[in-house]
Amino acid sequence: DSGVTQTPKHLITATGQRVTLRCSPRSGDLSVYWYQQSLDQGLQFLIQYYNGEERAKGNILERFSAQQFPDLHSELNLSSLELGDSALYFCASSDNDIQYFGAGTRLSVL
Amino acid sequence: QQQVKQSPQSLIVQKGGISIINCAYENTAFDYFPWYQQFPGKGPALLIAIRPDVSEKKEGRFTISFNKSAKQFSLHIMDSQPGDSATYFCAASRGNTGKLIFGQGTTLQVKP
């Protein structure tokens, strides 16, 4: 168990809808990262937050947004969903170089 | 633009054999190179990592070899076991950003 908790484990929704993925980092970790894993693109970095502030951004779509709250948990919001957004979304947290990954949320857009 | 290239895509090894996975990177600013192991239904977990100031790092049966001039690094799994069957990802990051750039992954199957 990495200590990083992601909810929900599975999410099934329809095109055009909006969903929110939640991540609780390891106790004390200030950094939270979001990654998308798909068969064709592999593991892709989306965005990083550090102590509530956006620290780095990857190829995150404009339809996607994230935030980190004062209690350090983070949410990834995906809107106007398309079939191609179906993927595994991972959250990771760290206090140094080592990133600890959660078990992921599997999003299926039908 | 893919900045970390990983090969092979899949690998089958007999129990007790050596598994070798290779990665090449393009950005010379990368200074942290971890390997992650992922089992089905789980998130990636850090296996071993290296910085470019050393050419090799060993932890148990797992060894990273690093060639800075060639911009390549590899993972060697000695005495491979069926329990090692998983997907392995190499990655790289720069400075303190922590943003990991992953290779495409290698699915390893160790046959008993």
Side-chain angles (χ1 to χ4, degrees), chain A residues 35 37 45 48 97 99 101-102, chain B residues 36 38 43-44 51 97-99:
Chain A
Y35 293 86
Q37 185 175 35
F45 168 77
Q48 176 198 2
D97 292 328
Q99 293 186 27
F101 283 73
Chain B
Y36 279 81
Q38 185 179 25
R51 290 198 176 274
T97 65
K99 176 175 95 172

Side-chain angles (χ1 to χ4, degrees), chain B residues 38-65:
Chain B
Q38 185 179 25
F39 292 104
K42 304 288 187 183
L46 178 68
L47 195 60
I48 187 173
I50 198 169
R51 290 198 176 274
D53 53 343
V54 296
S55 60
E56 186 175 282
K57 183 173 182 180
K58 183 176 180 179
E59 289 184 3
R61 296 184 294 110
F62 302 93
T63 300
I64 299 180
S65 296

Side-chain angles (χ1 to χ4, degrees), chain B residues 3-77:
Chain B
Q3 297 186 53
V4 179
K5 294 184 179 179
Q6 183 172 345
S7 63
Q9 189 173 353
S10 62
L11 184 60
I12 299 175
V13 173
Q14 290 295 128
K15 178 181 175 182
I18 302 173
S19 304
I20 302 174
I21 305 170
N22 301 298
C23 281
Y25 63 97
E26 299 169 4
N27 190 341
T28 54
F30 287 147
D31 61 0
Y32 177 67
F33 302 89
W35 284 89
Y36 279 81
Q37 179 188 54
Q38 185 179 25
F39 292 104
K42 304 288 187 183
L46 178 68
L47 195 60
I48 187 173
I50 198 169
R51 290 198 176 274
D53 53 343
V54 296
S55 60
E56 186 175 282
K57 183 173 182 180
K58 183 176 180 179
E59 289 184 3
R61 296 184 294 110
F62 302 93
T63 300
I64 299 180
S65 296
F66 187 84
N67 186 329
K68 188 174 181 178
S69 61
K71 293 188 287 185
Q72 295 175 347
F73 58 111
S74 60
L75 175 69
H76 296 235
I77 306 175

